[in-house]
Amino acid sequence: MTVADDIRAKGMRMTVQRRLVLDALRRARHHITAEEIARSIRASYPQIDPSTVYRNLEALERLGYVTHTHLDDRVTRWRRADSPQHGHLVCRRCGSEEEISMSVLAPLAKRLKGEHGFSADLAHSAVVGLCRECAG
Amino acid sequence: MTVADDIRAKGMRMTVQRRLVLDALRRARHHITAEEIARSIRASYPQIDPSTVYRNLEALERLGYVTHTHLDDRVTRWRRADSPQHGHLVCRRCGSEEEISMSVLAPLAKRLKGEHGFSADLAHSAVVGLCRECAG
DNA sequence: TTACCTGCAAACTGTTTGCCGCTGT
DNA sequence: ACAGCGGCAAACAGTTTGCAGGTAA
């Protein structure tokens, strides 16, 4: 079943705008912000409103097609749900970002599950701290 | 050296407002938001402006007296830097919060330091996921 | 006396919402 | 045809900033 069919099967429509948001996410190598998605779409389709992008991201997240993460600012970053999951290390001094394998985070997730019954989503928020250079 | 003396030694002033912010943080059992601090101060001193609270939190953080953390919303939470550090588990479905010992997080911090040279501040952002009840 | 600090008002960023006409199914 | 959806403009929350006068040291 295609994405479009699945969306329709859930009583929703596959509109041009929805497809453009999906495409923008498909093109992105990493997480991108709603504003970046809107900007990249509006480069070719200037009439498309940022609020439409927000509404579509929310809808697509409900359907399980996209997810979001938080780095160390107030901005939400989006990615396709089927792109490879990974953690983030963000330096609070220089702002550098490093992606890390989920396997590094897995032992903590396991422990939180065992000791607290908590199913942690360790890809959801970046780990903040000081990178090698800034820690000196 | 008292806090006031230290602040003065750094060329800054100990104002009534600054002391009130410090006091509000001292009274709080857990992290509180700037808005909660402002509200609690304004209950007795209505003329004190929220922006003054923000400016003082920033100044006190620079001096190392307070730190902030992020749960799963857009709101910054503050605490005194000398209050006991701990991690947070926040349920994305029911919103419940649980505090956890830093010792649970320490192995990850150690590994990030060893493998990536990254000094992680694992108290800075809450771990988001599903609590025992919501995970089912 | 002299910077630092304050209250006030206004700006700002990222995001959400109400309205109403449009369009996919 | 009838929901869902889009564009537009306005509202929103949390926070930041410019200004001009006030106050700690």
Side-chain angles (χ1 to χ4, degrees), chain A residues 16-127:
Chain A
V16 174
Q17 293 81 341
R18 194 154 284 171
R19 197 182 309 276
L20 287 170
V21 169
L22 244 11
D23 288 347
L25 285 166
R26 214 165 273 134
R27 277 197 305 279
R29 315 177 207 59
H30 299 293
H31 300 78
I32 47 176
T33 67
E35 196 262 331
E36 288 168 338
I37 295 170
R39 182 147 33 86
S40 110
I41 292 178
R42 285 162 67 86
S44 327
Y45 304 83
Q47 73 281 15
I48 281 158
D49 196 80
S51 69
T52 299
V53 172
Y54 282 102
R55 282 196 264 235
N56 274 307
L57 287 169
E58 192 194 321
L60 292 169
E61 184 169 56
R62 266 199 311 274
L63 296 182
Y65 286 113
V66 310
T67 55
H68 70 268
T69 68
H70 300 288
L71 301 190
D72 199 30
D73 52 21
R74 201 166 278 87
V75 190
T76 305
R77 321 268 164 157
W78 300 85
R79 66 175 183 88
R80 287 179 296 146
D82 61 357
S83 68
Q85 243 197 349
H86 54 260
H88 286 98
L89 305 182
V90 173
C91 179
R92 66 152 51 103
R93 183 171 306 169
C94 72
S96 68
E97 298 171 27
E98 186 179 349
E99 299 191 350
I100 60 170
S101 157
M102 288 309 288
S103 67
V104 176
L105 303 171
L108 173 59
K110 189 165 194 174
R111 184 164 179 188
L112 291 174
K113 187 66 181 173
E115 294 181 12
H116 298 270
F118 190 86
S119 302
D121 176 5
L122 292 173
H124 186 74
S125 310
V127 172

Side-chain angles (χ1 to χ4, degrees), chain B residues 61-73:
Chain B
E61 184 169 55
R62 266 200 311 274
L63 296 182
Y65 286 114
V66 311
T67 54
H68 71 268
T69 68
H70 300 288
L71 302 190
D72 200 30
D73 52 22

Side-chain angles (χ1 to χ4, degrees), chain B residues 24-94:
Chain B
L25 284 167
R26 213 165 272 132
R27 278 197 304 278
R29 315 177 208 59
H30 299 292
H31 299 79
I32 47 175
T33 67
E35 196 262 329
E36 288 168 338
I37 295 171
R39 182 148 31 86
S40 111
I41 292 178
R42 285 161 68 86
S44 326
Y45 303 82
Q47 72 280 14
I48 281 159
D49 196 80
S51 69
T52 299
V53 173
Y54 283 102
R55 282 197 266 234
N56 274 308
L57 287 170
E58 192 193 323
L60 292 168
E61 184 169 55
R62 266 200 311 274
L63 296 182
Y65 286 114
V66 311
T67 54
H68 71 268
T69 68
H70 300 288
L71 302 190
D72 200 30
D73 52 22
R74 206 174 315 298
V75 190
T76 305
R77 322 268 163 158
W78 301 85
R79 66 174 184 88
R80 288 179 296 145
D82 61 357
S83 69
Q85 242 197 350
H86 54 260
H88 287 98
L89 304 181
V90 173
C91 179
R92 67 152 50 104
R93 183 170 306 169
C94 72

